[in-house]
Amino acid sequence: MKKPPIKPIIKAGIVTDIHYGFDIKSKLGSKGPALMHAFEKDVALYMPDFIVDIGDRISGRNKTDDRRHMESLQQHFNRMAAPKVHITGNHDIRFLTRADNEAITGCPATSWCQDRGNFHFVFWNPEVTSDGTGLHVGAADLQWLKQNASVPCKKTILFSHTPLYHMDKIHWLAGWVERDREEGLAEVKRVLAQERWIIDGNYGSSLPLRIE
């Protein structure tokens, strides 16, 4: 009996929200160098096919500090042999431009996609705005995602710093007033009841619902 072909496994090394440089509240950017050295060792050990940095490389203090910290961080990535993809986070473009990010990382800061084997990879870098309740995406970027999110006969894997449903927007009301817990869980369930959804966040109370 002829054996079916074995589909290749693609390994990705993923890192996100490094906030390299200085400490601000819970973002311990001063630990960035040590954590990135550890990540370099993991990459050398597991040899991923490519590396994806999902954004917020720095915390967004001012243009001078942000450039210096992002350039220092990029030295870690440059020592890794695997191809690198850098997603743009909201803090990355608080004071630096998308062109600044592209010049430092050598990676597009706009949305793009690429096929590899049986997979369709989408790297979504939308323009976002914030009104204190979370991040909001414009119609043009949503239309781009709709047109590029899938191709026939391939599995789509999407990388983005900006999910369509942001847990911060569910957890907090306007002015960063915390939403009632049961009301928040009900909102999460409403999102999960849809046929398709993209959501992120580290709120433990709703995590079992999202991974079941």
Side-chain angles (χ1 to χ4, degrees), residues 58 70 88-98 101 126-128:
I58 42 87
M70 193 174 291
T88 303
N90 53 300
H91 287 87
D92 300 325
I93 52 175
R94 178 173 291 175
F95 295 102
L96 298 178
T97 65
R98 289 181 182 268
N101 277 259
E127 296 285 350
V128 298

Side-chain angles (χ1 to χ4, degrees), residues 53 57 74 84-88 98-110 112 123 125:
D53 148 37
R57 290 174 282 283
Q74 191 60 33
K84 273 80 66 177
V85 175
H86 298 277
I87 301 296
T88 303
R98 289 181 182 268
D100 292 331
N101 277 259
E102 290 181 349
I104 294 171
T105 66
C107 185
T110 53
W112 58 289
F123 306 100
N125 289 303

Side-chain angles (χ1 to χ4, degrees), residues 35-104:
L35 292 173
M36 286 304 297
H37 279 302
F39 185 64
E40 288 182 56
K41 292 181 179 178
D42 287 341
V43 167
L45 177 63
Y46 293 105
M47 295 184 293
D49 297 297
F50 63 98
I51 296 164
V52 183
D53 148 37
I54 311 184
D56 273 5
R57 290 174 282 283
I58 42 87
S59 287
R61 170 177 277 180
N62 57 64
K63 188 161 188 172
T64 300
D65 286 340
D66 289 358
R67 182 183 295 277
R68 175 168 55 87
H69 289 148
M70 193 174 291
E71 289 176 343
S72 296
L73 172 61
Q74 191 60 33
Q75 293 178 16
H76 292 277
F77 286 113
N78 290 343
R79 289 192 287 267
M80 304 176 197
K84 273 80 66 177
V85 175
H86 298 277
I87 301 296
T88 303
N90 53 300
H91 287 87
D92 300 325
I93 52 175
R94 178 173 291 175
F95 295 102
L96 298 178
T97 65
R98 289 181 182 268
D100 292 331
N101 277 259
E102 290 181 349
I104 294 171

